[in-house]
Amino acid sequence: MNDAAALLVVVDAANVVGSVPDGWWRDRRGAAERLRDRLATDGLPGYEGPVELVLVVEGAARGVESVPEVRVEAAEGSGDDRMVELVAGAAGREVLVITADRELRRRVTELGADVAGPRTLRG
């Protein structure tokens, strides 16, 4: 989906996965796939409007594939830089970035995005 009326939700996969000490570090790709699948099933908890979900992966999670409900963007370099690019390219749209990374939060809010922490995805 690339509907300009839909809320664009950009998810920092590494940051969200890393927020729960469940052994994700043993299988980063598998952890990112589980997050993708949960997003595909649950969407953005508590939000009723149309949503475009984008999961940004980096490093060992780069092989994660998109599914119809969640577009996966594999960062060539820094995941943070890719998320900033996505926000910058969404001029005129409502954007929510899910991350706890302070520097990333600063960078995307300067571009007009709203931010929320990883708990937002737990409902």
Side-chain angles (χ1 to χ4, degrees), residues 16 18 20 38-39 42 48-50 61-62 64 77 83 87 92 99 108 121:
V16 171
V20 179
R38 193 175 76 220
L39 289 169
D42 298 345
E48 298 300 321
R62 273 197 198 107
V64 174
M83 286 179 273
V87 171
T99 186
V108 298
L121 298 178

Side-chain angles (χ1 to χ4, degrees), residues 16 19 38 45 98-100 116-123:
V16 171
S19 71
R38 193 175 76 220
I98 307 292
T99 186
R119 289 185 185 157
T120 303
L121 298 178
R122 292 191 206 123

Side-chain angles (χ1 to χ4, degrees), residues 80-122:
D80 289 3
D81 288 347
R82 182 64 188 129
M83 286 179 273
V84 170
E85 290 170 4
L86 289 167
V87 171
R93 286 186 71 183
E94 185 180 2
V95 180
L96 175 64
V97 176
I98 307 292
T99 186
D101 181 300
R102 287 187 186 136
E103 177 61 14
L104 177 59
R105 291 168 78 99
R106 183 195 62 76
R107 291 173 68 191
V108 298
T109 55
E110 286 179 354
L111 295 171
D114 291 320
V115 293
R119 289 185 185 157
T120 303
L121 298 178
R122 292 191 206 123

